[in-house]
């Protein structure tokens, strides 16, 4: 590996500067992404290894980031289990057969790795193209987040159906979460065997949960997943929207890195985590809409706050929004790469 900054920081080793990658870095803010997207459906892009590799490589070639992340989607596990998944422009993901009863849960399959082989194939193509230049991050959706899509039938603002399920029928919720967790362990181990250099768990909707509900319906399954990974020399990153609140509990699952949203002071979070556990984050993505002078000021403010800390990966507190100017993202990456401790 020519550039080990990301892996070194993930394992809390000393680095000359913070490494940087950005969630959703291969995506809709890039004209080059749309050149590909206009030819294929989103699921075609995910399921065709050469196309997934093309998209994965866009930020590598155009931004010069320190780690690539596999182009895929957190809901491919839900589809592999039996969800009828589609993506519609302007609407987002939809499951045509929502999961709301015990019979629905029983119908979902867990031995589904053969249906996810296209992801392993994409990883092999991407690693050939990266040729050891930078690490490749694999990922999966955390069980609560995948469950929320399956139960709601798509995106939700209030997660009403999901919360009704966990409160009125916790036995159904737990059976569903256990099935998703089993698939997720197998899926991430498939990615590790195929050659990813790190993995990240995305619990995008954990912030919908109270502290006690997060502990019961998210955290325990993330613990189970991380404990089941073949993680030798492969750092595990745990991300949730709500990590500014849940970070102490997230640490109990023993990830190598806790990825923090923008509502917290990153150094404060680092100081409450166990020694040797790294942090990732936590720039507000909205900063990237601002003038370049503001972007630079906010990056340097974060870096000065984290000066002297081993185990810091620069990232956003959530993903890049699709209408952020590409030049602003490129400027942010350049500013980060010029910094030295």
């Amino acid at each position: 590996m020519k550039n080990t900054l990301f892996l070194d920081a993930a394992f809390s080793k000393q680095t000359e500067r913070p490494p940087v990658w950005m969630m959703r870095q291969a995506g809709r803010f890039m004209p080059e992404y749309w050149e590909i997207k206009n030819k294929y459906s989103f699921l075609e892009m995910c399921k065709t290894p050469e196309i997934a590799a093309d998209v994965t490589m866009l930020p590598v070639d155009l931004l010069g980031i320190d780690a690539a992340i596999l182009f895929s989607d957190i809901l491919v596990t839900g589809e592999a289990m039996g969800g009828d998944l589609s993506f519609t422009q302007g609407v987002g993901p939809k499951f045509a057969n929502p999961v709301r009863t015990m019979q629905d849960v029983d119908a979902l399959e867990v031995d589904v790795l053969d249906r996810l082989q296209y992801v392993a194939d994409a990883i092999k193509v991407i690693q050939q193209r990266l040729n050891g230049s930078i690490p490749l991050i694999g990922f999966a959706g955390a069980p609560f987040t995948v469950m929320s899509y399956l139960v709601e039938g798509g995106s939700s603002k209030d997660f009403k159906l999901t919360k009704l399920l966990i409160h009125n029928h916790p036995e159904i919720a737990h059976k569903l979460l256990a099935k998703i967790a089993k698939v997720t362990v197998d899926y991430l181990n498939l990615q590790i065997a195929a050659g990813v250099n790190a993995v990240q768990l995305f619990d995008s909707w954990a912030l919908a949960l109270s502290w006690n509900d997060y502990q019961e319906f998210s955290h325990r399954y993330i613990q189970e997943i991380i404990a089941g990974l073949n993680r030798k020399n492969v750092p595990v990153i745990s991300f949730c929207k709500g990590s500014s609140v849940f970070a102490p509990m997230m640490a109990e699952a023993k990830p190598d890195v806790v990825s923090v949203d923008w509502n917290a002071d990153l150094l404060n979070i680092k100081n409450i985590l166990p020694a040797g556990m790294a942090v990732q984050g936590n720039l507000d993505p909205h900063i990237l809409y601002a003038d370049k002078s503001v972007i630079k000021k906010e990056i340097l403010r974060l870096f000065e706050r984290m000066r002297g800390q081993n185990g810091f990966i620069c990232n956003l507190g959530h993903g890049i929004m699709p209408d952020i100017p590409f030049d602003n993202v490129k400027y942010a990456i350049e500013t980060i790469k010029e910094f030295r401790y």
Side-chain angles (χ1 to χ4, degrees):
M1 190 73 61
K2 298 181 186 74
N3 178 347
T4 62
L5 271 177
F6 166 79
L7 293 174
D8 289 344
F11 285 128
S12 292
K13 297 178 184 173
Q14 192 168 2
T15 56
E16 62 188 22
R17 66 165 172 86
V20 59
W21 70 280
M22 292 183 177
M23 288 183 268
R24 294 202 190 125
Q25 66 188 13
R28 297 167 292 174
F29 71 103
M30 290 182 171
E32 293 83 0
Y33 171 88
W34 285 105
E35 286 176 23
I36 300 169
K37 177 70 182 74
N38 289 334
K39 296 176 192 168
Y40 307 97
S41 73
F42 182 76
L43 279 173
E44 278 181 302
M45 292 164 70
C46 293
K47 292 184 176 185
T48 311
E50 293 289 341
I51 300 171
D54 288 344
V55 181
T56 299
M57 293 301 294
L58 287 176
V60 179
D61 298 333
L62 300 173
L63 293 172
I65 36 73
D66 295 309
I69 184 164
L70 167 71
F71 178 76
S72 186
D73 192 83
I74 61 170
L75 298 181
V76 297
T77 48
E79 185 195 41
M81 294 171 75
D84 183 0
L85 178 63
S86 63
F87 288 85
T88 307
Q89 190 62 41
V91 177
K94 288 281 180 195
F95 281 106
N97 54 340
V99 177
R100 293 171 186 164
T101 66
M102 192 62 89
Q103 288 82 357
D104 295 336
V105 175
D106 288 342
L108 294 174
E109 298 175 60
V110 292
D111 296 320
V112 297
L113 275 196
D114 56 328
R115 298 178 192 168
L116 293 163
Q117 183 59 40
Y118 62 86
V119 176
D121 295 341
I123 288 164
K124 288 167 185 168
V125 176
I126 295 161
Q127 286 290 33
Q128 284 173 350
R129 298 207 197 165
L130 286 171
N131 194 27
S133 57
I134 56 173
L136 174 63
I137 304 166
F139 70 91
F144 173 75
T145 291
V146 175
M147 176 177 85
S148 75
Y149 281 100
L150 285 168
V151 172
E152 302 286 341
S155 301
S156 174
K157 287 192 167 65
D158 58 11
F159 302 95
K160 182 178 178 181
L161 295 170
T162 309
K163 291 193 139 197
L164 276 172
L165 186 73
I166 67 174
H167 293 142
N168 287 345
H169 303 286
E171 71 288 352
I172 298 176
H174 281 304
K175 188 163 189 183
L176 175 53
L177 288 162
K179 281 191 156 187
I180 298 168
K182 160 76 167 68
V183 170
T184 306
V185 170
D186 292 346
Y187 178 50
L188 287 174
N189 282 332
L190 173 83
Q191 293 183 38
I192 291 167
V196 297
N197 308 105
V199 293
Q200 177 159 318
L201 265 172
F202 282 86
D203 207 355
S204 306
W205 304 128
L207 192 56
L209 293 169
S210 69
W211 180 270
N212 289 336
D213 287 344
Y214 176 78
Q215 187 167 34
E216 181 175 353
F217 295 101
S218 177
H219 171 63
R220 64 182 272 191
Y221 295 99
I222 289 172
Q223 270 187 309
E224 188 180 307
I225 289 164
I226 292 176
L229 295 181
N230 304 323
R231 61 192 289 193
K232 189 176 190 308
N233 300 322
V234 176
V236 178
I237 308 167
S238 183
F239 166 77
C240 80
K241 220 171 176 180
S243 48
S244 50
V245 176
F246 297 132
M249 207 188 308
M250 293 168 74
E252 293 172 12
K254 298 186 170 58
D256 298 287
V257 187
V258 172
S259 191
V260 183
D261 58 34
W262 64 88
N263 302 108
D265 178 273
L266 196 58
L267 184 58
N268 288 348
I269 296 289
K270 182 91 166 74
N271 287 337
I272 64 172
L273 295 176
M277 191 170 286
V279 289
Q280 176 176 274
N282 73 331
L283 286 167
D284 181 349
H286 296 82
I287 294 295
L288 297 177
Y289 288 119
D291 294 339
K292 288 180 177 171
S293 60
V294 177
I295 294 171
K296 183 169 190 172
K297 182 184 80 174
E298 290 299 322
I299 289 168
L300 295 181
R301 190 210 307 250
L302 174 62
F303 284 12
E304 287 303 327
R305 183 74 175 137
M306 296 302 291
R307 187 180 284 279
Q309 297 293 319
N310 293 340
F312 166 42
I313 298 163
C314 183
N315 206 317
L316 305 175
H318 203 235
I320 298 175
M321 280 78 79
D323 58 344
I324 286 177
F326 175 83
D327 283 353
N328 285 13
V329 180
K330 188 162 179 59
Y331 177 77
I333 300 288
E334 288 166 354
T335 300
I336 292 160
K337 290 175 75 174
E338 286 167 4
F339 182 83
R340 290 295 179 274
Y341 284 124

